[in-house]
Amino acid sequence: MNKNIVVIGTQWGDEGKGKIVDWLTDHASAVVRFQGGHNAGHTLVIETNGKQKEYKLNLIPSGIVRSGVACLIGNGVVLDVSHLLKEIDILEADGLNVRDRLFVSPGCPLIIKSHVMIDQAREAARSATKKIGTTGKGIGPAYEDKVARRSIRVYDLFNLETLKAKLTDLLDHHNFILKHQLRAPEVSFDEVFNELSSVADSIRPMVVDISKKIHDLNQQNKNILFEGAQGALLDIDHGTYPFVTSSNCVAGQASAGSGIGPNKLDYILGITKAYTTRVGGGPFPSELDIEEAGSPGFQMSEVGREYGTVTKRKRRCGWFDAVALKRSAMVNGLSGLCITKLDVLDGLDQIQICTHYEFNGTLIDTPPLSADEVAQCKPQFISMPGWRDSTFGVKQWQDLPANAQDYLKKIEAITGIPIHIVSTGPERDETILIKHPFELS
Ligand code: GDP
Ligand code: IMO
Ligand code: MG
């Protein structure tokens, strides 16, 4: 029987989803993106003949490095076509064949220049405590237009009269906001129209009905991976609103964002860092100081190379937050966890896990929904002894130091979700398999 597996981030993004999707893709015929846009930055490191090659993907699914695997961009993704074409060119210059096996939904709403301008001008206008720290790629404004039913979608690129009419309306709306609300320069119709009409022919051969393609692959008994971007705590509904992204990042979105029925999703893998990071604004109860040399936060930042893939910003770092993870487990229906970056904790004397928050004088083990309330929560930690030996690149559970095994078992016990994969390095094969999601009955 074929399987459809959803891989999502359970924290605030950058958990290592790309690495694990690539690793799992040796069992899959297709990988599907179903939300977000080029705000995502997914890193793959692949070693061949002793040489390591790093790939950074924004829109193209992380199956692209395995030849023969189809890569599908579902309707839930907001698409900057020019960015997609650049990403294709970079990968093709690296010798990968992309155009033959990349497929894009005609239903994706487009990101145009004015979305980017509005995103950046709004962010600049926010006061320091209100800054979301968006990636500035136009994601929020593009999703606003989708919900307001004024988006230009991929299929509109192929009818220049429709495109003209829709772009006129959309730019009227955007330029009013830019001029009167944000006091920012307006965007010219001709510039956007020329850009969109010039990319239309390049993307046209890749545009197919993604829902139908997924359905056909399933009919042929093929395994499919659904690759989430961002993470559940950045979800527009379930995250720390308004310090979130503008899409649903939870597993359920795999269904709506690609056009597969939820009853066809067999297994949900939650990618979870062995500690916590967050890039951008918003509450972060288990946050540590990352500047003090020699401190645990400093180690996470430096050893973990916690710099944003897209914006190069330093990521904030903190201890593993089991409270936040409980909400994530709940809203995603996790079947199993993959714990990544365990190696980054090597050498710490003590490792802490946030097990509860103190909120209004009581202990809670599920976070409040309101970001203001999360900001008032005081983290409560347990402490566990660390380990001296390196776990970097370890490939077998029994080769992990006993204290590292205990740390992982504690995470399982507190969250109630079994750990099925552990990642011990950025390279594809620096991975410990406990139970294979595609091989579970
Ligand atoms: P994604 O957005 O969830 O795909 O994650 P990113 O690629 O933005 O960030 C994860 C970073 O950690 C990347 O630089 C990966 O190469 C790296 N990485 C992934 N897994 C591991 C691991 O187990 N150990 C270490 N040291 N690095 C890892
Ligand atoms: P991947 O897929 C981490 C964050 C931004 C900001 C907020 C809103 O690589 O895990 P947006 O531009 O989406 O409107 O920004 O969301 N953010 C991410 N943080 N990883 C990501 O993607 C992110 N995508 C957006 O930093 O706080
Ligand atoms: Mg990332």
Side-chain angles (χ1 to χ4, degrees):
M1 241 335 241
N2 72 303
K3 279 220 164 106
N4 295 312
I5 290 184
V6 184
V7 178
I8 50 94
T10 61
Q11 296 159 315
W12 280 290
D14 302 325
E15 298 90 349
K17 298 175 290 292
K19 172 196 157 158
I20 298 301
V21 168
D22 166 68
W23 183 79
L24 285 169
T25 302
D26 71 342
H27 277 61
S29 296
V31 182
V32 188
R33 274 282 306 271
F34 54 86
Q35 46 74 228
H38 63 310
N39 50 348
H42 297 177
T43 317
L44 281 52
V45 180
I46 287 137
E47 186 169 311
T48 16
N49 305 325
K51 265 201 174 159
Q52 287 201 343
K53 168 98 190 126
E54 187 175 68
Y55 298 90
K56 289 189 182 294
L57 304 171
N58 303 127
L59 275 167
I60 297 181
S62 298
I64 201 70
V65 187
R66 304 255 189 198
S67 59
V69 169
C71 288
L72 281 50
I73 298 182
N75 56 279
V77 169
V78 282
L79 194 72
D80 181 325
V81 181
S82 299
H83 185 92
L84 180 67
L85 294 174
K86 273 188 218 138
E87 220 178 304
I88 294 172
D89 286 347
I90 292 171
L91 292 174
E92 294 204 325
D94 269 339
L96 295 179
N97 123 352
V98 179
R99 279 166 210 267
D100 296 351
R101 55 198 177 91
L102 181 66
F103 302 95
V104 177
S105 166
C108 292
L110 298 186
I111 298 183
I112 63 172
K113 184 177 175 184
S114 41
H115 290 125
V116 178
M117 304 276 288
I118 293 173
D119 187 6
Q120 295 180 358
R122 277 204 191 129
E123 193 62 16
R126 287 191 181 105
S127 63
T129 53
K130 295 219 164 98
K131 280 198 197 298
I132 294 164
T134 72
T135 57
K137 304 290 182 195
I139 305 294
Y143 276 116
E144 274 172 57
D145 285 340
K146 168 179 172 165
V147 175
R149 296 169 290 196
R150 37 169 193 261
S151 289
I152 299 171
R153 308 215 288 178
V154 164
Y155 55 65
D156 294 319
L157 291 170
F158 312 128
N159 179 333
L160 290 188
E161 285 316 305
T162 318
L163 179 63
K164 246 182 211 165
K166 290 196 175 176
L167 184 60
T168 303
D169 288 349
L170 190 59
L171 278 181
D172 278 352
H173 176 69
H174 287 176
N175 281 333
F176 183 86
I177 296 171
L178 283 165
K179 184 173 176 188
H180 297 290
Q181 193 190 352
L182 297 166
R183 315 255 177 252
E186 293 176 61
V187 172
S188 111
F189 174 89
D190 286 348
E191 185 187 344
V192 181
F193 184 74
N194 290 342
E195 185 185 345
L196 292 181
S197 44
S198 73
V199 295
D201 283 346
S202 303
I203 192 173
R204 193 196 293 257
M206 293 179 258
V207 177
V208 302
D209 182 334
I210 294 293
S211 180
K212 174 85 170 57
K213 183 146 187 86
I214 291 171
H215 180 79
D216 291 348
L217 285 165
N218 274 175
Q219 294 284 308
Q220 295 157 25
N221 216 21
K222 306 281 192 201
N223 287 337
I224 304 182
L225 274 168
F226 293 80
E227 177 180 12
Q230 291 81 50
L233 305 178
L234 287 170
D235 180 275
I236 184 74
D237 288 297
H238 302 286
T240 45
Y241 188 92
F243 300 99
V244 290
T245 190
S246 298
S247 65
N248 285 111
C249 324
V250 292
Q253 177 63 14
S255 168
S258 70
I260 184 174
N263 61 337
K264 298 284 192 302
L265 304 175
D266 299 294
Y267 175 105
I268 317 292
L269 181 67
I271 311 294
T272 306
K273 249 180 224 183
Y275 47 100
T276 311
T277 62
R278 165 162 217 173
V279 53
F284 182 174
S286 68
E287 185 169 15
L288 290 166
D289 177 2
I290 57 168
E291 301 299 338
E292 190 196 331
S295 69
F298 183 81
Q299 171 161 335
M300 290 166 191
S301 173
E302 289 298 307
V303 179
R305 300 214 191 108
E306 296 296 355
Y307 297 88
T309 314
V310 174
T311 56
K312 316 283 178 247
R313 288 174 291 177
K314 257 192 174 186
R315 296 174 184 149
R316 300 154 68 193
C317 300
W319 295 116
F320 184 82
D321 185 343
V323 184
L325 202 88
K326 278 192 186 158
R327 177 167 298 286
S328 215
M330 198 162 68
V331 297
N332 284 299
L334 298 180
S335 317
L337 289 177
C338 164
I339 302 292
T340 60
K341 303 190 88 161
L342 182 70
D343 53 292
V344 173
L345 302 180
D346 289 354
L348 289 173
D349 287 335
Q350 289 286 317
I351 297 180
Q352 299 194 29
I353 299 178
C354 172
T355 57
H356 295 85
Y357 295 161
E358 190 204 307
F359 178 61
N360 279 343
T362 42
L363 285 184
I364 54 173
D365 70 356
T366 311
L369 204 54
S370 146
D372 288 340
E373 291 183 0
V374 176
Q376 292 164 37
C377 288
K378 293 194 186 68
Q380 307 296 308
F381 295 102
I382 56 163
S383 189
M384 301 189 65
W387 53 91
R388 289 269 137 226
D389 295 340
S390 168
T391 65
F392 187 76
V394 166
K395 296 189 176 75
Q396 300 290 335
W397 172 264
Q398 61 271 23
D399 294 337
L400 288 175
N403 286 354
Q405 293 183 356
D406 287 348
Y407 177 64
L408 295 171
K409 283 189 210 147
K410 184 60 94 182
I411 290 177
E412 268 190 333
I414 298 174
T415 60
I417 313 289
I419 297 175
H420 286 164
I421 301 170
V422 179
S423 172
T424 56
E427 208 277 329
R428 181 189 268 169
D429 293 325
E430 290 165 340
T431 308
I432 298 172
L433 172 64
I434 296 163
K435 284 203 173 134
H436 203 298
F438 277 118
E439 287 165 6
L440 285 170
S441 52

